[in-house]
Amino acid sequence: MVDTPKADDVQEAMKKQIAELRREMNKINKALAARAEEVSEEASGWVSSASDSASRAAQQLRNRAQTVSEAVQENPGTVSSALVLGGVLGFVLGMLAGQASNSHDRRWY
């Protein structure tokens, strides 16, 4: 006669396996929660650092813009003269570039 496991023995073995699987899942869940917390803290540090850097950069831009604005308010004639001079130079350079390209082929029309 062959010994066959009883239904109770099989059921008991299944319960033990299920309990072991639950313990393993709990360990995995705890490990994942700890890792998620570490990653969250790390990301928070990166965001804080980036925020501080952006804030400093914005402050520097505001300071420079204010400096330029003050210079323009104190010397409006100088700024106007520089803009007009820049426009005239741009126009002259454009005319010279146009003449240089047209001198090679006068019959383009």
Side-chain angles (χ1 to χ4, degrees):
M1 207 156 130
V2 177
D3 287 332
T4 58
K6 295 181 183 177
D8 290 341
D9 293 340
V10 172
Q11 188 176 7
E12 191 63 36
M14 292 289 284
K15 284 181 183 179
K16 286 181 182 179
Q17 287 180 350
I18 290 171
E20 181 64 28
L21 287 173
R22 284 185 179 153
R23 284 191 293 273
E24 289 297 320
M25 287 183 65
N26 284 337
K27 287 180 186 178
I28 291 171
N29 284 338
K30 287 178 184 177
L32 286 174
R35 183 63 184 137
E37 185 177 342
E38 290 172 9
V39 169
S40 174
E41 289 172 1
E42 202 172 306
S44 176
W46 290 343
V47 168
S48 177
S49 175
S51 176
D52 291 344
S53 295
S55 177
R56 284 192 301 270
Q59 183 62 37
Q60 288 177 349
L61 286 173
R62 279 192 295 271
N63 289 343
R64 289 184 183 182
Q66 184 177 3
T67 301
V68 169
S69 175
E70 289 172 357
V72 169
Q73 289 175 355
E74 291 173 5
N75 304 307
T78 304
V79 174
S80 298
S81 298
L83 290 175
V84 169
L85 181 61
V88 169
L89 280 174
F91 181 76
V92 169
L93 289 174
M95 291 294 290
L96 290 174
Q99 291 296 323
S101 67
N102 284 339
S103 66
H104 294 112
D105 188 15
R106 288 274 181 193
R107 293 183 293 168
W108 61 272
Y109 49 92

